[in-house]
Amino acid sequence: MTQRINYIQQSPELFKKFQAFSNQVKDCGIEQTILDLVSIRASQMNGCGFCLDMHVKEARLHGERELRLYHTAIWRESTLFAPRERAALAWTEVLTKLPEHGVPDDIYESVRGEFSEKELSDLTYAVMAINGWNRANVAFRTAPGSADKAYGLDKANLA
């Protein structure tokens, strides 16, 4: 796969602002484990190899168990995820692939049972951020692993 353009070089100011937004989301107070799962699941759904590779490595560096990473794609069938994580994954999926008539009430109510209004708002921004990154990296075919050294992901030892 050959990268089409380097969007970071082409739009450095926009990249910096979007990166600052994403960094702010990381500091929102939602557990890092949930933020990692959100990024992994959205990247799986969007077919973003660059982001999936990056976030799996980040999750390992954050101490995530290997089997849970494998089970992220099958979280509904897996017994490895807590109710709060399941709610976050359901919210991620519904916002990543919006249904024709919007977010169903049952999914909203389920997520509200696990997250405060502030947390749900922050979680929504987290989903928005990863979906934005997915779209840029899929559009321009950013190669998985190409930023490992820059982001310290080579320390994950998953090569």
Side-chain angles (χ1 to χ4, degrees):
M1 178 171 73
T2 303
Q3 186 168 340
R4 290 177 169 159
I5 66 170
N6 185 325
Y7 68 92
I8 298 167
Q9 289 176 351
Q10 296 304 313
S11 305
E13 291 304 314
L14 291 174
F15 171 78
K16 286 178 194 171
K17 289 180 187 299
F18 196 54
Q19 189 171 44
F21 166 73
S22 295
N23 288 336
Q24 187 72 35
V25 167
K26 288 179 185 177
D27 294 332
C28 71
I30 299 220
E31 304 95 293
Q32 185 62 58
T33 300
I34 288 179
L35 294 175
D36 288 337
L37 292 173
V38 163
S39 294
I40 290 166
R41 186 64 190 125
S43 298
Q44 288 172 334
M45 292 177 69
N46 288 321
C48 185
F50 177 83
C51 292
L52 180 58
D53 178 80
M54 171 184 276
H55 294 294
V56 164
K57 290 172 182 172
E58 283 181 339
R60 289 293 291 149
L61 289 171
H62 296 146
E64 185 58 79
R65 295 187 338 240
E66 193 169 353
L67 187 57
R68 280 171 42 97
L69 295 174
Y70 299 146
H71 279 221
T72 304
I74 58 158
W75 65 269
R76 282 181 183 82
E77 294 83 19
S78 177
T79 59
L80 301 178
F81 300 98
R84 186 170 164 89
E85 294 168 329
R86 290 176 176 285
L89 288 165
W91 194 246
T92 300
E93 287 186 356
V94 76
L95 294 183
T96 297
K97 302 285 187 198
L98 284 169
E100 184 177 341
H101 299 289
V103 175
D105 290 338
D106 63 325
I107 293 176
Y108 174 77
E109 293 303 327
S110 172
V111 175
R112 277 292 290 128
E114 296 293 332
F115 290 88
S116 70
E117 288 183 1
K118 166 81 165 78
E119 289 173 328
L120 183 53
S121 178
D122 290 347
L123 180 62
T124 301
Y125 278 104
V127 175
M128 290 165 53
I130 189 56
N131 276 289
W133 290 116
N134 288 166
R135 279 148 179 76
N137 288 301
V138 168
F140 299 121
R141 296 184 178 159
T142 309
S146 61
D148 280 5
K149 195 164 200 93
Y151 291 114
L153 299 174
D154 48 340
K155 294 177 181 73
N157 296 320
L158 291 176

